Structure formats: C-alpha cells, structure tokens
Amino acid sequence: MNTYKIHFDGGYENGTVSYAYVVYKNNEWLTDAAYKCHRPGLTTNIAEYFGLIAALHAVTKIGADYRDDIKIIGDSQLVIRQMTGEYKVNDDFLKILHMQAQSVAYHNIVLKNLKLTFEWLPREHNEAADRLCKNLP
C-alpha cells in the first residue's frame, strides 16, 4: 500500500492566475507541475480550484491502485471545506468549478476504488506548491 499526498495551491495577482501541484509518494517527491495564465477578473479562490482540478487530474498519471490512499492537500480552507461538504458553494462560477472537481475526483479516483481524503493545512506547511505558483516566469 502506498500513500500519495498531492499538495495544490493557486494565486491571483495583477490579472495573472497561477496554480500548481506537487505529488509525494510515501513522503518522497514524485512529480510536480505549475501553470500560469493571464485573465483579468478571476480570483484567488478560482485559482485554488484550478490547482485542485489539476491535482485531481494528476492522480491518473501516478499509477495508484485500489490499495493506495490519495490525500489531496491544500491551504484554502474554502476549497477543502467545500469539497468535503462542510461549506456550501455560493458563487456561481465556483459552483461550476466545484462540480468539475467532483466529477474529476469521481472518475479518476472513486471509480477506481482509490481511497480519497481532502485535508487542509496552513499555508506555511504548503511551501512546495506555494513556491511553484509564485516562481513561475
């Protein structure tokens, strides 16, 4: 059995969205990715959802099987709590992203009988994903 921890993060500044994820297998770095796009009018919460969705897509690339645990970890309390059902999704655009994240989680993880959990942690403990977002050229 393996434990995959997938940290994600997202940010928005001056019309630019950046988001990233870092994958650890049994606490060892496995892979990462970061993305950036210029699109005025978005928000940090939208960027966080972009990071979450990218992280959920990454699960298909890591070779996990039904014995493995998948932990999706982020520093956005809003996004994590919306994914666990603790918070209601009120914003119309976030509703779309939330449904997309749920769909990706279901098709990439749940249907493969992988155990999925969502976990919030403070930003200072999400350094790798945060650094990837901030250091994009």
Side-chain angles (χ1 to χ4, degrees), residues 1 39 129:
M1 181 181 98
R39 187 155 304 154

Side-chain angles (χ1 to χ4, degrees), residues 82-95:
Q82 286 177 339
M83 289 303 294
T84 61
E86 294 174 64
Y87 289 178
K88 184 178 176 182
V89 184
N90 295 315
D91 180 82
D92 288 338
F93 192 63
L94 290 185
K95 284 180 184 178

Side-chain angles (χ1 to χ4, degrees), residues 4-85:
Y4 292 91
K5 294 179 181 178
I6 306 173
H7 291 249
F8 72 92
D9 199 15
Y12 181 79
E13 188 173 339
N14 298 324
T16 300
V17 168
S18 59
Y19 55 99
Y21 65 83
V22 180
V23 180
Y24 299 92
K25 179 180 179 181
N26 301 324
N27 294 319
E28 296 288 328
W29 177 88
L30 185 62
T31 189
D32 60 42
Y35 306 92
K36 182 178 186 177
C37 67
H38 300 284
R39 187 155 304 154
L42 299 182
T43 66
T44 299
N45 289 332
I46 291 169
E48 292 279 1
Y49 263 104
F50 286 175
L52 169 63
I53 292 165
L56 291 167
H57 278 295
V59 173
T60 62
K61 302 173 187 171
I62 60 177
D65 70 25
Y66 70 94
R67 297 168 295 199
D68 299 332
D69 291 328
I70 308 294
K71 294 183 180 183
I72 304 294
I73 302 167
D75 58 29
S76 170
Q77 283 192 39
L78 179 77
V79 171
I80 294 296
R81 298 215 188 323
Q82 286 177 339
M83 289 303 294
T84 61

